[in-house]
């Protein structure tokens, strides 16, 4: 039995529970928080290497054969995302050493962060749709507490909106799982893929597909279900914003891609056509929302919505090239978006504010920080040779091949508007002279290395993904090939030919 | 039996959504609770009724003999109940704190973070 697929779940669980034993020792929490996240990163990379070498890795718990027992399945797509989320986890854990305030630390910030990482890894690796629901809940309850931790008035309002809409989404997801079980009589994803082929009721299948689309669409923040995101993501501590922005919506995107490549592929003209339309509107509304904002983190929050549109566009086009583009883009976005939020945290620490009107003069005071902002910002806008360019290039090419010209036009126009928003932040926060009198809420001392190290590391990943785009994209194409041909997944889980 | 439960599930959803559309925080939470109860009953109903006998292999036999009740939906519902209980308990604490922090339970007043 290969235990590798559960390590990215067990390590955060073990880390978090050992911190609970030593609840009062804040120092131990900090040490364990960073060490556990780095171990998790090592395990995730080991899992990724194993999947890359041997193909799909399946763990049958208790050695029960597949449709009866619980399985964890790591195909290339899941392994890539587990590795990316472990990178985010490690970066945020190290960043928190210098950026988190003692109050939040002593109220269990680090254990919650690890529970969140556990939920995210579990959702990626689960091979069973009910377990996917359970992992979603693990992740959500941790994110609820992280979002409300600190208890400021704004946070409370943001948390109410976030909690309510996510609970509605969970209720819909659960209902969809129930109906799916009633229809197919199984919950194992691979077994469902086989059984759903024989279900002779296209209307019911499409209705189920729509229930899943709504449930995961709320979590992924696609149009018209995204309103909770910009209303809540700018309220918590910036390290929390960074980890939520980097990971949570992507779990929703992952679930959408998994369900709509494995289960609901019978009527792509309807389901994937609808997804494609939603993707276009998601991009446009997100970027227009961002253009209207004038707060650093609110702009970034709206851009999450807009970028989700690109990932979902890859799913809507459903060609191997489009899926590869979506996978590449998702990883790029996890890195760039987390990094931008981390940079906004350093800006907030140094200037004491995040409203663009009050910021200014950062280029003069902090040239290194300005460069570190530019890398993910230009990457997000899709400027070559950074990673965002290649993701968008693949998606646009896939769109042109399939003659979906409206979505290609939307993708290109949104890219331009993204560049506009990023230059707005650049011009306002970094270039223009500071509007505030000297020394008002500003800090002269440079931020500690624990804040800069994760930002530099993630910027390096962004640059590397752009410079070595060919091997990175070849990997994404292999992952997409596994997704477009579910037979391999089914055979790996169920054993034998379906 | 299915018909009765279908009506009950529909009623629970309707009541839950109605409560969530009100402006009070407490009603919002009650609405969420009803939605999750409705989902649990829906799993039970959608899985179908195949008999009332417990799913135990009779002595001397090697496999289950129909009709027996399918145990899996009940296991799913049990898990879902535990999860929704925990989440609702958290929600109650959060809403209580939000009420004292914001100073109102009127959702229309909570617009500070909207854009």
């Amino acid at each position: 039995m290969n235990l590798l697929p559960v390590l990215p779940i067990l390590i955060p669980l073990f880390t978090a529970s050992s911190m609970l034993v030593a609840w009062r020792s804040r120092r131990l929490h900090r040490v364990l928080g960073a060490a556990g996240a780095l171990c998790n990163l090592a395990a995730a990379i080991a899992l990724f290497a194993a999947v890359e070498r041997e193909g799909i890795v399946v763990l049958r718990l208790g050695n029960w054969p597949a449709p009866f027992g619980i399985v964890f399945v790591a195909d290339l797509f899941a392994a890539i995302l587990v590795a990316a989320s472990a990178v985010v986890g490690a970066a945020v854990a190290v960043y928190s050493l210098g950026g988190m305030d003692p109050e939040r630390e002593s109220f269990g910030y680090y254990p919650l962060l690890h529970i969140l990482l556990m939920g995210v890894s579990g959702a990626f690796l689960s091979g069973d749709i009910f377990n996917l629901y359970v992992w979603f809940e693990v992740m959500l309850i941790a994110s609820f507490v992280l979002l409300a931790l600190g208890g400021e008035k704004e946070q409370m309002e943001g948390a109410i909106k976030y909690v309510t809409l996510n609970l509605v989404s969970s209720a819909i997801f659960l209902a969809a799982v129930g109906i799916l079980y009633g229809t197919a009589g199984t919950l194992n994803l691979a077994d469902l893929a086989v059984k759903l082929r024989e279900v002779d009721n296209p209307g019911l299948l499409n209705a189920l597909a729509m229930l899943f689309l709504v449930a995961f669409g709320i979590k992924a923040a696609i149009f018209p279900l995204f309103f909770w995101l910009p209303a809540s993501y700018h309220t918590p501590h910036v390290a929390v914003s960074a980890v939520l922005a980097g990971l949570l919506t992507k779990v929703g995107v992952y679930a959408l891609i998994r369900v709509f490549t494995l289960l609901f592929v019978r009527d792509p003209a309807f389901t994937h056509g609808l997804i494609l339309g939603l993707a276009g509107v998601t991009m446009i509304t997100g970027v227009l929302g961002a253009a209207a904002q004038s707060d650093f983190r609110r702009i970034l929050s709206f851009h999450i919505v807009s970028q989700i549109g690109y990932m979902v566009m890859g799913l809507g086009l459903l060609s191997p090239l489009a899926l590869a583009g979506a996978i590449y883009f998702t990883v790029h976005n996890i890195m760039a978006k987390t990094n931008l939020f981390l940079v906004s945290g350093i800006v907030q620490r140094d200037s004491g504010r995040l409203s663009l009107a009050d910021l200014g003069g950062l280029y003069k005071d902090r040239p290194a920080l300005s460069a570190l902002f530019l890398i993910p910002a230009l990457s997000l806008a899709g400027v070559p040779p950074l990673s965002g360019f290649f993701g968008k290039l693949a998606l646009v090419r896939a769109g042109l091949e399939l003659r979906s010209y409206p979505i290609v036009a939307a993708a290109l126009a949104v890219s331009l508007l993204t560049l506009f928003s990023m230059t707005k932040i650049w011009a306002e926060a970094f270039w223009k002279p500071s509007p505030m009198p000297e020394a008002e809420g500003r800090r002269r001392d440079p931020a500690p290395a624990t804040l800069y190290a994760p930002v530099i590391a993630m910027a390096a990943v962004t640059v590397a993904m752009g410079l070595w785009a060919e091997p990175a994209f070849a990997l994404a194409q292999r992952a997409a090939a596994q997704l477009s041909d579910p037979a391999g997944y089914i055979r790996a889980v169920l054993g034998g030919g379906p | 039996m299915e018909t009765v439960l279908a009506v009950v599930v529909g009623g629970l959803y309707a009541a839950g959504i109605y409560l969530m559309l009100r402006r009070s925080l407490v009603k919002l939470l009650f609405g969420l609770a009803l939605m999750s109860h409705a989902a649990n009953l829906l799993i039970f109903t959608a899985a179908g009724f195949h008999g009332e006998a417990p799913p135990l292999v009779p002595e001397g036999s090697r496999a289950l003999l129909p009709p027996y009740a399918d145990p899996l939906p009940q296991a799913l519902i049990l898990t879902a109940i535990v999860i929704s209980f925990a989440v609702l308990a958290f929600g109650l604490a959060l809403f209580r704190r939000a009420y004292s922090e914001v100073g109102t339970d009127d959702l229309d007043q909570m617009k500070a973070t909207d854009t």
Side-chain angles (χ1 to χ4, degrees):
Chain A
M1 200 159 65
N2 187 353
L3 280 178
L4 214 46
V6 284
L7 279 187
I9 297 165
L10 286 183
I11 292 175
L13 175 66
F14 182 75
T15 314
S17 40
S18 51
M19 280 191 253
L20 292 184
V21 174
W23 180 254
R24 295 198 176 278
S25 166
R26 201 161 64 79
R27 246 183 86 201
L28 196 70
H29 276 206
R30 289 160 60 87
V31 173
L32 274 176
L38 291 173
C39 288
N40 185 37
L41 178 60
I45 290 175
L47 172 66
F48 168 69
V51 173
E52 205 264 331
R53 206 172 46 241
E54 300 160 19
I56 300 173
V57 176
V58 180
L59 172 65
R60 296 176 183 82
L61 290 183
N63 269 338
W64 283 89
F68 308 112
I70 290 173
V71 285
F72 283 99
V73 189
D75 66 348
L76 208 44
F77 178 42
I80 289 172
L81 286 178
V82 168
S85 63
V87 171
V88 170
V92 171
V94 173
Y95 184 90
S96 307
L97 293 180
M100 192 49 65
D101 49 285
E103 289 78 28
R104 285 188 173 89
E105 282 186 336
S106 44
F107 277 99
Y109 165 73
Y110 288 104
L112 286 164
L113 179 66
H114 280 86
I115 297 287
L116 182 77
L117 288 178
M118 172 175 86
V120 170
S121 303
F124 288 147
L125 293 171
S126 168
D128 176 299
I129 198 142
F130 189 76
N131 281 357
L132 184 65
Y133 164 76
V134 175
W135 288 119
F136 261 117
E137 294 298 305
V138 170
M139 182 181 91
L140 282 180
I141 191 96
S143 72
F144 291 166
V145 187
L146 280 175
L147 201 73
L149 199 63
E152 290 157 21
K153 178 170 176 283
E154 265 216 323
Q155 274 187 296
M156 286 298 138
E157 289 194 21
I160 285 181
K161 293 159 194 168
Y162 178 82
V163 168
T164 307
L165 277 167
N166 274 296
L167 288 184
V168 172
S169 145
S170 297
I172 297 174
F173 184 10
L174 189 60
V177 168
I179 300 174
L180 190 63
Y181 180 73
T183 311
T186 178
L187 291 168
N188 182 296
L189 282 171
D191 201 24
L192 275 172
V194 178
K195 295 263 165 63
L196 284 184
R197 280 183 211 156
E198 288 144 25
V199 173
D200 186 30
N201 192 345
L204 181 65
L205 280 187
N206 276 346
L208 265 176
M210 289 306 106
L211 275 177
F212 278 108
L213 181 64
V214 172
F216 296 144
I218 293 178
K219 291 186 204 289
I222 64 175
F223 180 87
L225 311 161
F226 65 85
F227 296 101
W228 57 271
L229 193 150
S232 62
Y233 267 23
H234 62 281
T235 57
H237 189 279
V238 70
V240 176
S241 287
V243 73
L244 297 187
L247 299 180
L248 289 203
T249 46
K250 279 67 180 185
V251 181
V253 172
Y254 164 83
L256 275 177
I257 293 184
R258 179 65 78 206
V259 166
F260 281 94
T261 54
L262 195 61
L263 305 186
F264 301 109
V265 284
R266 290 260 299 270
D267 189 5
F270 172 65
T271 50
H272 292 76
L274 180 67
I275 290 174
L276 195 61
L278 289 177
V281 192
T282 306
M283 282 178 206
I284 294 167
T285 44
V287 86
L288 290 182
Q293 294 301 316
S294 60
D295 176 282
F296 206 136
R297 277 202 280 170
R298 285 189 188 216
I299 295 181
L300 294 181
S301 302
F302 268 105
H303 273 296
I304 299 176
V305 176
S306 156
Q307 310 285 319
I308 291 294
Y310 285 93
M311 302 167 207
V312 179
M313 166 186 168
L315 174 63
L317 292 171
L318 200 69
S319 72
L321 179 64
L323 283 175
I327 294 168
Y328 184 92
F329 195 87
T330 306
V331 177
H332 138 75
N333 194 251
I334 290 177
M335 301 296 161
K337 189 55 81 183
T338 310
N339 206 358
L340 280 171
F341 271 97
L342 293 181
V343 170
S344 83
I346 303 184
V347 169
Q348 190 180 31
R349 175 198 175 276
D350 286 355
S351 333
R353 52 184 66 83
L354 275 177
S355 160
L356 288 184
D358 301 341
L359 284 168
L362 281 167
Y363 182 61
K364 202 175 104 208
D365 293 350
R366 300 267 188 271
L369 181 64
S370 316
L372 286 173
F373 168 76
L374 266 192
I375 292 173
L378 292 181
S379 177
L380 201 69
V383 174
L386 295 163
S387 55
F389 169 72
F390 294 100
K392 285 180 185 170
L393 180 70
L395 288 168
V396 165
R397 263 185 55 199
L400 289 178
E401 274 174 17
L402 296 169
R403 296 175 194 281
S404 306
Y405 299 120
I407 192 82
V408 171
L412 293 176
V414 168
S415 219
L416 203 63
L417 286 170
T418 309
L419 188 62
F420 161 72
S421 294
M422 290 299 132
T423 45
K424 184 164 94 180
I425 299 184
W426 174 255
E428 293 281 322
F430 291 87
W431 250 4
K432 81 166 188 239
S434 177
M436 288 283 165
E438 286 294 310
E440 192 186 308
R442 281 222 251 150
R443 292 174 72 162
R444 285 276 131 211
D445 56 320
T450 43
L451 292 188
Y452 273 108
V455 173
I456 294 171
M458 298 195 79
V461 174
T462 304
V463 173
M465 273 179 73
L467 291 184
W468 284 278
E470 195 181 342
F473 198 73
L475 196 67
Q477 275 181 317
R478 280 172 55 201
Q482 285 181 356
L483 286 178
S484 351
D485 179 24
Y489 184 94
I490 294 167
R491 205 167 36 244
V493 175
L494 296 182
Chain B
M1 187 69 176
E2 261 110 346
T3 326
V4 175
L5 276 177
V7 171
V8 172
V9 170
L12 279 174
Y13 270 119
I17 290 168
Y18 175 71
L19 281 175
M20 291 179 68
L21 294 176
R22 304 289 296 272
R23 280 163 46 182
S24 140
L25 264 184
V26 180
K27 286 174 185 146
L28 175 64
L29 195 73
F30 285 171
L32 285 172
L34 287 186
M35 285 269 283
S36 64
H37 294 332
N40 289 338
L41 262 184
L42 178 70
I43 297 178
F44 187 64
T45 316
F49 301 95
H50 306 296
E52 288 171 359
L56 299 172
V57 180
E59 228 177 307
S61 157
R62 292 191 56 79
L64 278 172
L65 299 174
Y68 59 88
D70 184 358
L72 193 67
Q74 298 172 29
L76 302 183
I77 294 167
L78 197 58
T79 316
I81 288 175
V82 172
I83 292 175
S84 73
F85 170 72
V87 171
L88 282 175
F90 171 77
L92 200 59
L94 174 76
F95 285 18
R96 168 74 182 79
R97 178 72 194 268
Y99 169 69
S100 58
E101 204 65 43
V102 182
T104 174
D105 77 331
D106 184 351
L107 288 166
D108 279 6
Q109 306 289 319
M110 299 193 178
K111 288 189 288 205
T113 69
D114 285 347
T115 43

